[in-house]
Each structure stands twice: as structure tokens, then as C-alpha cells.
Amino acid sequence: MVLDKNPEQILDNNLAYVIDEFSNKNPNIILCSEPFLKTEFLNELIDSINYQVIFLDFDLLYSGYVISEMIKKNDKVKIYRPSDSDWKKIISDIAKKISNEKFLVVIDSFNGFYSIFDDKEFGRFINASLMLLSSIGKESGSSVIITAMARKNDKGEWILSPGGRHVIYSKKSGIYHLKRIGNTLMLNLLNEVGTPEKIFKIDYSYS
């Protein structure tokens, strides 16, 4: 059997296909190597939906842009800046909210919370919390988006940068790589070996 190695390409300037794609799996992990590009995409995504957003800002980049007015404040976005002392309470509050209503939950980013929570036991709690939010989110139609600053190592594996933790592929999760080519944002859905199987193209030259 010959497999088609050419990924499907979808022009999606209003992110309608991306939003639909995110609804198919939970959580969805977005890998990126450029901090501002990551934040730009999240802002575009938030502007494209018509329901409430919970934004867990671990690296303080998004909230910093909002405070500096480089990103316009959006009334539908509730921003949290979690710490090791209030994480459990925040997770409990969010779980209650998304059990009753549809939300977009953004966790920005893996790198940020790993720098805050060094203890291995707490790391396990973090992972369990993410899976809990994802499971509850499916019931209410909520989507959980997790960003990560990442790069490929010498073996072609995706790892967090800095830190070097491996990005683990899961059939329950959608894993994507975000990059920019000219005026176009490219969101690549990755398969289990880390190569694109679907490409969403957001082309600003048509805006």
C-alpha cells in the first residue's frame, strides 16, 4: 500500500477550521519557537471565538502585552497568573466553571509552569490537572490549548526549549507546530513521528 505523504493544506484566514479541529481532541498542544508569534496566534484565536476564555499566563507574556496595550484588552478573557501557592485553588475554580459552560482554556505555557514547579510530585499533579480539565472540557464542549516553546533535537524529536523535556505524543491530544512564512501563519498538525499531516494556512495578505 502506498501512503500519501503530502499533507492536506487548508486556507483558514478566519480560523474556523482550526477551531473545529481543536474541538476534536483535548488537550491541544501548540509548539512554537518564537514567543511573539505564539502570542499573536493566541490573540487571533481568541478574537475568532464568541465564548468566554480562561487564560492561564505562566510566562506572563500575553498579560504583559495587554498591560502595555500592545494587545487590546478583551472583556471575554479572564487572565490568571498562577503560582505554586494558588495553583490548586485556580484549577478547582476553573474545573467548576467549565463543567457548566463552554470555555476556551489557554495554558501559556508548558515552559512557564515547569520553571515554577520544580518538584516532581507537583509535576505529576500538574499533568493530572491538565487531564482533568481536558476531560471535563469534553463534556461542556470546551477546548484546552497548551502552548510550548519547543525545538527539534539532533534526533528530530520535539523538546521544550530551554529545558530539554520531551514532548510526548498522545492519540488523545492534538499536537501542532506553529511557524510564519512571509505574511502567512502555518499551523501544522503533527503525526506520531512529528511530521505534518495537515496544514492550516492563515494568510494575512488576504485580510
Side-chain angles (χ1 to χ4, degrees), residues 12-30:
D12 190 22
N13 293 340
N14 63 3
L15 275 68
Y17 292 102
V18 168
I19 294 168
D20 184 64
E21 181 74 24
F22 286 164
S23 69
N24 293 327
K25 293 188 177 183
N26 251 345
N28 293 282
I29 301 172
I30 300 174

Side-chain angles (χ1 to χ4, degrees), residues 100-205:
N100 298 313
E101 189 178 348
K102 183 177 182 179
F103 281 86
L104 171 65
V105 180
V106 178
I107 299 171
D108 187 30
S109 63
F110 257 143
N111 315 70
F113 83 64
Y114 275 129
S115 68
I116 294 175
F117 307 113
D118 293 326
D119 183 79
K120 289 184 179 180
E121 291 299 323
F122 210 97
R124 293 190 185 97
F125 171 76
I126 293 289
N127 290 332
S129 299
L130 298 181
M131 293 302 104
L132 173 65
L133 292 181
S134 299
S135 177
I136 295 174
K138 288 181 180 180
E139 299 299 320
S140 63
S142 298
S143 295
V144 177
I145 308 297
I146 305 169
T147 67
M149 299 303 298
R151 62 177 177 82
K152 281 189 174 182
N153 63 14
D154 294 338
K155 297 180 181 179
E157 303 165 324
W158 286 101
I159 59 173
L160 298 187
S161 177
R165 293 173 182 263
H166 282 76
V167 177
I168 306 299
Y169 179 85
S170 168
K171 290 184 178 180
K172 294 182 179 180
S173 304
I175 299 183
Y176 306 82
H177 178 234
L178 177 68
K179 64 180 181 179
R180 186 201 303 276
I181 299 178
N183 291 324
T184 304
L185 297 187
M186 313 283 284
L187 185 69
N188 300 336
L189 172 63
L190 305 180
N191 58 24
E192 64 272 16
V193 295
T195 57
E197 63 179 39
K198 188 183 295 185
I199 300 174
F200 299 92
K201 301 173 68 175
I202 306 141
D203 193 341
Y204 291 142
S205 64

Side-chain angles (χ1 to χ4, degrees), residues 25-44:
K25 293 188 177 183
N26 251 345
N28 293 282
I29 301 172
I30 300 174
L31 311 177
C32 188
S33 59
E34 301 176 46
F36 181 74
L37 180 59
K38 166 178 69 72
T39 304
E40 179 185 349
F41 173 77
L42 291 175
N43 189 51
E44 291 289 334

